[in-house]
Structure formats: structure tokens, C-alpha cells
Amino acid sequence: MGESRIRTPLEVVDFWCETLTAKDWWQSTPALDAHVRETFAETHFALSQAVTAPWQASPEARLAAIIVLDQFPRNMYRASPLAFATDWIARREARLALEAGADKAVPYDRRHFFYMPLEHSEDLADQDLSVALFEAHGDEMYLDYAVRHRDVIVEYGRFPHRNAFLGRVSTREEAAYLAEPGAGF
């Protein structure tokens, strides 16, 4: 069958933080989504089963685990419930990484990935922590996104743009929100 396609933490960080740009992160293409899926699906599956010691061995390894669990599924499984399936594991790993101070031990332009699993949560306490972390981080663009995510959770208790993918019925208020230009994330 060939060699294992489970990638290392270094391979993940090199690809996501060195090969790609911020534009790639936030404005993906079908080709990039396919590449992430082909290259990292086995790694994502393995981490969904167990985040092993090598993925917690250093701040960069913790960063890689969070990228695999929080960012990659949004590319690999776009417009599918699988895009959010490992969010709870990403949140757990983010909290462990924050407790270990891992976010402060990586370059500034990578720290926000430690906070994003909290921003992706539909729990208001996670959202409040996300906003606090982004305030301390000091990047206005990321803070604006964090506040906007929290505002949606305050208003609706969930992200209405996920309803169709997750088989949830939108309320009238959510349907009106989703009809607005630029609604969702």
C-alpha cells in the first residue's frame, strides 16, 4: 500500500505557515481544498482518534495539531458537517496549549491559530475568551472577526450559516440574517 501518509507537525506548519499565505487561509480555492484533503486527510483522521505526544511536544507541534483539527477540516470538508466534527478536539488542544504558554512561544503571526478554535465555538464562554485573547493579541483585523463571531453567538446562540450543513432548521430571525449580504463567515 505504500508509506504512511500521516504527516509530521513540522510538515503541517511548513505547509500552512510557510508555503501558504494569509490570502490562502481566508480565500481558499477548490484546488487548495483538494490539495489539503489529499495531503492531510489521513493526518486529520489520526488526530481525530488521538492527539499523541509528538503533537504536544513543543509549541510548534501544538500549533500543528490545532491547524490540523481546526483549519484543515474547513478546507477538506467545506460545506459538510465534517468541517466542524473535530472542533471540540481543537478547543481542548487550544486550551491545553494556552495553559502551557505555547501561544506566546511561536512567532506573533501564528499565534492567532491558538485562539481560533474558541472563535469557532458556539459556546458563549469560549467566544468571550476568544475576544479577550484577540484583544491581548493586538491585531485589529483578528479582533474584529472575533467580536463579530461573538456577536452572532450572542444574537442567535449558534452560527446560522452552519444550519444547512448540520441539518438544523433556521429560525425566522436566522433566515433574515442569512439573507443579508455578507452574512456568515
Side-chain angles (χ1 to χ4, degrees):
M1 200 66 207
E3 65 182 286
S4 170
R5 293 190 35 93
I6 296 175
R7 307 300 177 170
T8 66
L10 180 61
E11 287 174 301
V12 169
V13 172
D14 281 351
F15 171 73
W16 195 251
C17 298
E18 300 293 334
T19 303
L20 299 185
T21 66
K23 182 181 179 194
D24 296 315
W25 300 335
W26 315 130
Q27 298 173 4
S28 189
T29 64
L32 178 57
D33 287 353
H35 178 75
V36 172
R37 188 171 44 256
E38 291 161 10
T39 307
F40 297 103
E42 288 183 47
T43 306
H44 177 258
F45 183 74
L47 286 180
S48 76
Q49 295 177 309
V51 179
T52 55
W55 294 90
Q56 297 175 328
S58 69
E60 290 285 331
R62 289 180 180 276
L63 173 66
I66 291 167
I67 290 168
V68 169
L69 294 163
D70 183 66
Q71 295 297 308
F72 284 177
R74 284 163 167 76
N75 290 87
M76 294 188 297
Y77 307 119
R78 192 174 304 281
S80 156
L82 291 174
F84 318 109
T86 55
D87 281 7
W88 70 274
I89 308 169
R91 278 192 306 279
R92 181 193 68 204
E93 292 305 310
R95 288 182 182 278
L96 291 170
L98 293 171
E99 288 172 17
D103 58 320
K104 302 293 193 277
V106 301
Y108 177 83
D109 63 349
R110 299 177 182 183
R111 289 180 191 166
H112 60 278
F113 289 114
F114 287 103
Y115 314 145
M116 293 188 75
L118 301 165
E119 181 179 304
H120 291 150
S121 175
E122 292 185 323
D123 180 84
L124 185 56
D126 289 339
Q127 288 293 325
D128 288 339
L129 179 55
S130 165
V131 169
L133 290 164
F134 279 112
E135 282 175 345
H137 184 57
D139 183 299
E140 288 301 316
M141 181 194 76
Y142 287 122
L143 176 59
D144 177 63
Y145 275 102
V147 169
R148 288 172 43 209
H149 278 75
R150 182 183 64 189
D151 288 350
V152 170
I153 297 301
V154 167
E155 181 76 20
Y156 304 103
R158 61 189 185 175
F159 291 119
H161 66 278
R162 294 183 185 174
N163 290 351
F165 308 130
L166 297 177
R168 302 187 303 208
V169 176
S170 293
T171 65
R172 275 193 299 263
E173 295 81 8
E174 289 173 335
Y177 161 73
L178 291 170
E180 295 173 12
F185 298 99

